[in-house]
Amino acid sequence: MGKVACANVLSDLYAMGVTAVDNMLVLLGVAKELSHDQRKVVVPLILEGFRDLAATAGVTINGGQTVINPWMIIGGVATSVCSDGEYIVPDKAEAGDVIVLTKPLGTQVAVNLHQWMTLETASWSIAKEVTTEEYVKKCYEDATTSMTTLNLTAAKLLHKHGAHAATDVTGFGILGHSKNLAEFQKAEVEFRIHTLPVLSGAAKVTEDLIAKGGRNFRLLQGTSSETSGGLFICLPKDSAEAFVKEMHDLGGKAWVIGDVVRGKNTSHIVDNPTIIDVSY
C-alpha cells in the first residue's frame, strides 16, 4: 500500500517529464478501528513501503502528517523547482502523433476481485462462476507489480523522444484522463484509442461478469478506475516505436495504443478495440 501510494504521488511530476524531485511529504490516515497492537504492525509496514520506493526514486521525504481516520489511507505530495527544459508542458499534441501507454489497464478489476474473494462477498458468488481463485491471485499479483512500478523511466524518455503531451492514468480511467488531456491541447485534435493493453484475462472476466449479471467495470469502455497507472503519451510518429523499444530494453512496458487526429479536443475508444493481454 505504501509503495503504491508513493508511485502514484510521483506520477503527477513524471507525466510532465520532471525526474528530479526536490521534496516529498506523506499523509497517513490510521484507521480508528485498529487496536494499538495492530497499529504497531500495520503503520510501520505501510510507511516502510512508501520510504523504500521513494529511496528507489531518489526522493527525500521531509515530513508529513498523521491523523486518525475511519479507514487506512496514505498519500502525499511531491514538488520540484524546475528550470525551462526540465519539464514538458502537456499541450502540444499534433495531428499525426502516435499515442503510447506504459502500463496495462485493469487494476480496479484485479483489486476488487481479490477483495470479493477474500471477504467471500455476494459479488464473489457471481464472480467465481466465471473465474478461479488461482487466476484472481495471479491477476492481483500482476496488478500489484504494475502499481508499485515507478513511471520514472518513461518520464526520462519523454525528453529524449520529444513527447508533445502526457498524463498519468489513474482514477478517471484512460478515457477520462485522455479527454482531460485533449481539452488542454492548443491545437484542435482528438485522441483515437484503438488498442487497450489490459492485465491478462481481465477483459474476458469483466465481459463474463456482465453476462452473469455481475458488476460492469466498464474496463473496455475506458472508465474503469486505475491506481498508479501508466503514462499516456503523445509522441511524434517517427519517435513512437523507438520509445516503445527503449522502454522494453530497459525492463519496462509500452505499447502504441492510438493516434492523434484533427478533431474537437476530445478522446474516444474505437468500436471493438484490439485487446492485448499483459502478464508480469
Side-chain angles (χ1 to χ4, degrees):
M1 185 175 176
K3 286 185 176 181
V4 172
C6 181
N8 201 50
V9 169
L10 290 170
S11 283
D12 290 324
L13 291 178
Y14 292 159
M16 294 188 70
V18 177
T19 58
V21 179
D22 296 329
N23 185 44
M24 197 172 198
L25 304 177
V26 181
L27 171 64
L28 177 67
V30 180
K32 61 183 179 182
E33 66 183 28
L34 292 181
S35 68
H36 177 70
D37 288 341
Q38 289 172 328
R39 290 177 187 176
K40 287 171 63 178
V41 174
V42 173
V43 172
L45 285 173
I46 292 176
L47 289 175
E48 180 183 357
F50 198 103
R51 285 195 298 265
D52 283 352
L53 201 62
T56 299
V59 180
T60 301
I61 300 170
N62 293 309
Q65 183 179 13
T66 302
V67 297
I68 301 299
N69 199 58
W71 51 84
M72 288 297 305
I73 60 170
I74 186 168
V77 60
T79 58
S80 189
V81 178
C82 301
S83 60
D84 290 345
E86 291 181 323
Y87 62 94
I88 299 170
V89 179
D91 63 358
K92 297 177 180 63
E94 302 174 355
D97 283 353
V98 171
I99 301 168
V100 169
L101 184 69
T102 64
K103 288 187 186 182
L105 308 173
T107 54
Q108 182 185 31
V109 177
V111 171
N112 280 175
L113 283 173
H114 191 269
Q115 182 184 49
W116 296 347
M117 182 182 73
T118 302
L119 300 178
E120 298 183 343
T121 65
S123 294
W124 176 244
S125 67
I126 299 174
K128 67 183 180 181
E129 296 183 24
V130 301
T131 189
T132 65
E133 291 189 6
E134 290 74 20
Y135 168 76
V136 172
K137 290 176 182 177
K138 177 62 167 64
C139 190
Y140 183 74
E141 290 172 359
D142 284 353
T144 301
T145 299
S146 179
M147 291 187 292
T148 56
T149 298
L150 294 167
N151 282 317
L152 179 56
T153 299
K156 292 177 179 177
L157 295 183
L158 294 183
H159 293 274
K160 180 176 180 179
H161 295 281
H164 289 154
T167 186
D168 59 328
V169 178
T170 51
F172 297 122
I174 189 170
L175 191 61
H177 286 285
S178 62
K179 282 185 174 180
N180 286 343
L181 185 65
E183 291 172 2
F184 193 64
Q185 300 311 300
K186 291 181 177 179
E188 292 187 348
V189 294
E190 184 169 339
F191 300 153
R192 174 183 172 273
I193 301 169
H194 56 61
T195 299
L196 296 175
V198 299
L199 292 169
S200 185
K204 184 178 186 304
V205 169
T206 57
E207 294 303 291
D208 289 346
L209 272 176
I210 296 170
K212 288 287 186 178
R215 178 171 177 179
N216 184 356
F217 286 96
R218 296 187 61 80
L219 175 64
L220 303 187
Q221 290 72 44
T223 56
S224 182
S225 296
E226 302 295 334
T227 298
S228 187
L231 299 189
F232 178 103
I233 309 164
C234 299
L235 288 158
K237 187 174 183 178
D238 58 1
S239 299
E241 290 298 338
F243 179 98
V244 170
K245 182 180 184 302
E246 190 160 3
M247 279 291 293
H248 285 282
D249 290 346
L250 294 171
K253 296 185 182 297
W255 309 267
V256 171
I257 65 159
D259 305 291
V260 180
V261 298
R262 296 186 186 278
K264 299 296 183 181
N265 296 91
T266 188
S267 178
H268 74 278
I269 299 173
V270 302
D271 294 336
N272 300 313
T274 299
I275 305 300
I276 300 176
D277 281 321
V278 180
S279 295
Y280 283 84

